[in-house]
Amino acid sequence: MVLQVTTANNVKVYTVSGGVGSRSIPDWLERKKKKALKKDFDYRTRVELIQDFEFPEASNRIKTTRDGKFVVATGTYKPQMRVFEYADMSMKFERHTDSETVNFEILSDDWTKQALLQNDRSVELHAQGGIHYRTRIPKFGRDLAYHFPSCDLLLAASGSEIYRLNLEQGRFLNSIQTDAEDGVNCVEINPAHQLFGMGTTKGTVELWDPRSKSRVGVLSNLEVPAAYGRDDSTPLEVSALSFRPDGLTMGVGTNTGHTLLYDLRSSVPTIVKDHQYGFPIKSIHFHQGNANDSESGGDKVIVSDCKIVKIWDRNSGKHFTSIEPETDINDITVVEDSGLIFTANEGIQMGAYFVPQLGPAPHWASFLENLTEEMEEAPNRDVYDEYKFITRKELSALGLEHLLGTNVIKAYMHGFFVDLRLYEKARLIANPFAYDEYRERAVKEKIEKERGSRIRAVKQLPTVNKNLAKQLLAEGDKKSKKKDDKSDLLHDSRFADLFADPEFQVDENSKEYQLLHPAGSKYKNVDNSDDEDEYEEEIEQQQEEDEEEDDTMDMDESDQDSDESESDIVSKIRKERGLQVRDRKQAATSIRSGNGGKRRVPEMRMGSTVGGRMTSKNESKKSFASRLQSENKHRKNEGHKVSRTALGGMEMSFTPKSVKKRNRN
């Protein structure tokens, strides 16, 4: 937790409450978003001197009791009054009213008796148990004051009369008639000799003696010099009035934002101060300081308008410091003999500001003296915030090796600390396209992250018998739901050498393998598919080799019936082994397509037919002699048929022909 601190004119002002409150959000919305507020750093690190020192919407007036134990405030909405106790540092109770309070007066030394002036022309008298009596005045009230010796409650209203309500007799007395026809804005009683002071809308201050009930003086020539920003077009009114406890000094605040200090023995102001905002002065307080204190320099005057609170020296008028809350100010009060100031404002929380140079902390909050120093808000700057750590390789890449040994580069452990500004400039010069590379890298990382979120199976194939492993994985995916998963062979330790030792490499080009796996070529991992012409040449060469073997075989073996019986036995054996013989054309089609179970799309091919036989397109590229020789061989071998059995035997059928002997010359 930290305390917000401002140093206007080199005077520290600590915000001990109301720093975040000042946010204008309703109470119900704050309760609704408590989870979001937990993530708010300012909200989590807030400091509240008095718990629940707030109102649902805004606060209007705030005052402290004379015994120095309570602070009383009024606010809205709903209109209510709240009493806070210093000893518990929390709210003692709250009391709701029918109308909004314009101003109130504490009648006793503690909080038990109050008089509230409402905005509906009513006056409420409250006791310890609640409202005691309620009455009304003829016109809308603006201010009130209580005269202790006579128990008269003075009520200033929008008319020229000051109503006197005697609380001892319980009735209204004769009103005080002023010269202000538009009304009286403020009324104040001098604490030394009980002189009544009344600030009017005419810009005059009338002084009345309570003993003779007559006017003893009028301050009618309130003149603000043009050097202080006085606008002659604006009618001058008195908006605030206050007396110093010495009985001789009077402070007058105007609606133009000016403050004038008068000695009651003179009609000329001793000091004129301008707030420079142009808003009416809300309140004036005289703070008694230590004249021997060189920091505070004696008595101060605390003046506020709706924007700022200014504190200046009473004798010289020199500016001391200022407090500017986030929301508009309605009223302020100063805790007696201390530097703690409370503000009532348009925010939810009321403000509490501690100025150590203005005065000490109150006795009930003496911990503020040490708390402000320990929790003072200050940026915790690290000693390395302005430096960048780089290695020697990075230093050479940036071209900064010539700076070694200077104060710019500091050696540390296995690298160097370089000034951050120098590092940024050197990096920009060394690689002007750093931003483009960073952007491209960020895009790639984002794409890879999206790809990584997809579900995929990454299967690593072994280096030995890769096709067999691929076949086992393919069959295992189809039968993954069954218990007999063949893909387990890859992870079985008994068959580990089958996929690791090159001695166990399966020769797929052997006759035995091709005989047992006539369609096994579809599992071959062919990265670059062969050209159809080359494949057809291989088929033709194989056919020519078969035909040459047929010529050398004995042609007197068996007849057609025995051939059919043995072919049935061979087919039965192959069916038992799951190795049904396929036609060469189907095998050739599967080899060329490489699509596995996909059906080959028929295509139109250009070629010629010789004797009802379709010739390949590669045959057209051969010479006439080679084509004639192949045609003669084909005619010669018409009716011949050769087949191989599963046990390695060979079967052949042929049509016998007569051979004519040539006559030798």
Side-chain angles (χ1 to χ4, degrees):
M1 295 187 296
V2 294
L3 287 176
Q4 297 181 6
V5 59
T6 58
T7 57
N9 198 25
N10 295 326
V11 177
K12 291 185 177 181
V13 179
Y14 297 95
T15 304
V16 294
S17 181
V20 182
S22 309
R23 53 176 72 184
S24 357
I25 57 175
D27 187 33
W28 61 269
L29 185 59
E30 182 176 343
R31 291 195 304 268
K32 184 178 180 181
K33 294 187 177 181
K34 276 187 177 180
K35 292 184 179 180
L37 290 175
K38 290 180 181 179
K39 301 179 181 179
D40 191 347
F41 178 77
D42 294 333
Y43 186 83
R44 289 188 292 107
T45 58
R46 72 191 187 281
V47 176
E48 294 183 359
L49 180 63
I50 300 177
Q51 298 297 321
D52 298 329
F53 197 57
E54 60 184 22
F55 280 89
E57 185 176 344
S59 51
N60 297 331
R61 294 285 181 171
I62 184 169
K63 293 182 180 181
T64 58
T65 57
R66 281 180 290 276
D67 60 1
K69 296 181 179 180
F70 304 93
V71 57
V72 184
T74 59
T76 189
Y77 177 82
K78 301 176 180 180
Q80 55 189 293
M81 175 182 65
R82 293 186 176 184
V83 178
F84 302 90
E85 187 173 3
Y86 293 152
D88 297 335
M89 294 186 184
S90 61
M91 183 174 63
K92 186 176 183 64
F93 71 90
E94 63 180 1
R95 186 177 295 170
H96 290 259
T97 58
D98 295 336
S99 302
E100 187 175 347
T101 302
V102 177
N103 201 354
F104 71 96
E105 189 71 28
I106 300 175
L107 305 179
S108 60
D109 291 340
D110 55 3
W111 60 270
T112 55
K113 297 178 182 180
Q114 305 99 14
L116 279 66
L117 178 63
Q118 308 289 333
N119 62 355
D120 60 348
R121 296 190 295 115
S122 62
V123 179
E124 290 186 359
L125 301 176
H126 288 251
Q128 185 174 1
I131 183 171
H132 176 71
Y133 186 75
R134 178 186 178 96
T135 185
R136 294 172 67 89
I137 56 178
K139 295 186 178 181
F140 291 96
R142 297 181 179 177
D143 198 7
L144 79 166
Y146 182 64
H147 186 237
F148 285 92
S150 63
C151 298
D152 287 346
L153 184 64
L154 305 180
L155 303 169
S158 58
S160 60
E161 294 181 342
I162 301 293
Y163 303 106
R164 296 169 57 210
L165 177 60
N166 190 275
L167 301 183
E168 183 181 7
Q169 301 178 20
R171 64 188 182 92
F172 282 97
L173 302 180
N174 293 332
S175 301
I176 298 176
Q177 188 69 36
T178 64
D179 295 338
E181 298 179 356
D182 295 335
V184 179
N185 291 331
C186 53
V187 57
E188 190 72 19
I189 299 176
N190 195 310
H193 43 69
Q194 306 299 316
L195 191 67
F196 295 167
M198 306 165 190
T200 65
T201 56
K202 292 176 61 176
T204 62
V205 177
E206 296 188 9
L207 302 175
W208 288 68
D209 189 352
R211 297 170 296 179
S212 62
K213 307 297 188 294
S214 61
R215 185 171 60 189
V216 295
V218 177
L219 186 62
S220 58
N221 55 349
L222 291 178
E223 294 294 338
V224 179
Y228 292 93
R230 173 75 172 91
D231 189 1
D232 296 335
S233 62
T234 304
L236 197 64
E237 297 182 7
V238 178
S239 59
L241 189 66
S242 180
F243 290 98
R244 192 168 178 265
D246 62 358
L248 296 177
T249 306
M250 178 181 66
V252 179
T254 65
N255 62 333
T256 57
H258 295 85
T259 305
L260 298 88
L261 291 187
Y262 285 91
D263 192 316
L264 291 180
R265 297 166 293 185
S266 173
S267 60
V268 179
T270 57
I271 294 177
V272 179
K273 296 289 291 183
D274 185 12
H275 264 226
Q276 298 179 349
Y277 277 97
F279 297 110
I281 300 298
K282 293 282 187 178
S283 62
I284 302 174
H285 292 270
F286 291 94
H287 186 272
Q288 186 176 0
N290 189 3
N292 298 327
D293 191 356
S294 59
E295 294 183 357
S296 61
D299 296 348
K300 297 293 186 294
V301 181
I302 304 174
V303 186
S304 69
D305 59 8
C306 62
K307 289 294 183 183
I308 193 172
V309 178
K310 286 192 174 183
I311 306 174
W312 39 275
D313 188 80
R314 181 181 66 88
N315 298 318
S316 62
K318 183 180 179 181
H319 179 69
F320 179 67
T321 189
S322 59
I323 302 172
E324 191 168 0
E326 298 179 0
T327 53
D328 292 346
I329 302 171
N330 292 327
D331 191 19
I332 69 168
T333 187
V334 183
V335 179
E336 189 176 359
D337 299 331
S338 70
L340 187 62
I341 301 174
F342 293 141
T343 62
N345 45 43
E346 291 294 331
I348 294 178
Q349 289 185 341
M350 292 182 288
Y353 303 92
F354 177 56
V355 187
Q357 297 184 20
L358 186 64
H363 63 88
W364 53 270
S366 58
F367 57 86
L368 284 178
E369 297 286 353
N370 298 327
L371 185 67
T372 52
E373 297 179 0
E374 295 175 359
M375 302 177 60
E376 178 179 343
E377 180 186 34
N380 297 325
R381 296 180 58 85
D382 195 353
V383 291
Y384 301 112
D385 280 350
E386 297 179 355
Y387 291 90
K388 173 70 175 179
F389 181 81
I390 59 176
T391 61
R392 182 177 289 273
K393 184 178 180 181
E394 294 175 344
L395 189 69
S396 60
L398 295 174
L400 300 177
E401 291 181 333
H402 64 283
L403 297 177
L404 289 174
T406 62
N407 296 330
V408 180
I409 297 179
K410 302 180 184 298
Y412 183 76
M413 296 181 67
H414 63 284
F416 306 90
F417 275 112
V418 183
D419 188 88
L420 186 60
R421 294 170 294 180
L422 176 62
Y423 172 78
E424 294 293 341
K425 291 181 180 179
R427 189 178 64 171
L428 185 61
I429 295 173
N431 188 7
F433 302 101
Y435 176 75
D436 297 337
E437 294 176 357
Y438 164 76
R439 186 175 180 181
E440 184 179 357
R441 186 168 60 254
V443 171
K444 289 182 178 180
E445 290 178 356
K446 187 176 181 180
I447 294 175
E448 292 297 332
K449 187 177 180 181
E450 293 178 355
R451 288 178 178 174
S453 62
R454 302 173 185 171
I455 300 175
R456 60 166 62 92
V458 180
K459 299 178 181 179
Q460 192 73 20
L461 295 177
T463 56
V464 179
N465 292 327
K466 185 181 295 184
N467 293 337
L468 178 59
K470 187 184 294 184
Q471 180 181 356
L472 293 176
L473 288 175
E475 295 178 357
D477 292 339
K478 296 179 181 179
K479 302 179 181 180
S480 59
K481 296 183 180 180
K482 297 183 180 180
K483 295 183 180 179
D484 52 345
D485 191 355
K486 293 185 179 180
S487 62
D488 293 341
L489 296 176
L490 296 174
H491 308 288
D492 196 338
S493 59
R494 297 175 297 176
F495 302 96
D497 294 339
L498 181 62
F499 303 100
D501 192 353
E503 296 294 334
F504 292 93
Q505 178 68 43
V506 177
D507 187 8
E508 298 181 0
N509 297 324
S510 63
K511 296 291 183 179
E512 292 79 4
Y513 181 85
Q514 293 180 359
L515 187 63
L516 296 175
H517 301 83
S521 58
K522 68 178 182 179
Y523 296 105
K524 292 182 180 180
N525 185 14
V526 181
D527 295 333
N528 298 322
S529 60
D530 297 332
D531 188 74
E532 289 186 358
D533 297 337
E534 297 177 359
Y535 184 78
E536 290 177 357
E537 289 179 359
E538 293 177 0
I539 297 297
E540 290 176 359
Q541 290 177 3
Q542 186 176 0
Q543 291 178 356
E544 292 176 359
E545 291 175 0
D546 295 340
E547 291 173 357
E548 290 176 359
E549 290 177 0
D550 295 341
D551 294 336
T552 59
M553 294 294 294
D554 187 15
M555 296 183 179
D556 298 327
E557 289 245 338
S558 60
D559 56 0
Q560 187 70 19
D561 296 333
S562 61
D563 293 341
E564 291 179 358
S565 61
E566 291 186 7
S567 63
D568 294 338
I569 297 174
V570 170
S571 61
K572 183 184 293 187
I573 295 174
R574 292 201 174 189
K575 284 182 181 180
E576 291 176 356
R577 297 189 181 185
L579 301 173
Q580 183 65 33
V581 179
R582 297 183 182 179
D583 189 65
R584 284 187 178 182
K585 294 183 179 180
Q586 295 178 356
T589 304
S590 63
I591 292 174
R592 284 196 298 268
S593 61
N595 294 332
K598 293 185 180 180
R599 179 177 296 179
R600 179 178 176 86
V601 180
E603 59 179 351
M604 182 179 294
R605 297 178 55 185
M606 296 296 295
S608 60
T609 56
V610 179
R613 181 175 61 89
M614 185 69 183
T615 61
S616 64
K617 63 178 183 180
N618 192 37
E619 192 173 355
S620 60
K621 299 179 182 180
K622 297 181 180 180
S623 62
F624 177 77
S626 59
R627 282 186 289 173
L628 183 60
Q629 184 179 2
S630 62
E631 180 66 21
N632 292 334
K633 287 182 179 181
H634 180 73
R635 289 180 179 178
K636 182 179 179 181
N637 298 325
E638 281 184 356
H640 293 244
K641 182 179 179 181
V642 178
S643 62
R644 291 183 175 85
T645 63
L647 301 178
M650 180 180 294
E651 299 176 358
M652 180 178 62
S653 62
F654 62 95
T655 303
K657 292 184 180 180
S658 59
V659 181
K660 295 181 179 181
K661 296 182 180 181
R662 297 180 181 178
N663 295 325
R664 297 180 181 179
N665 296 328

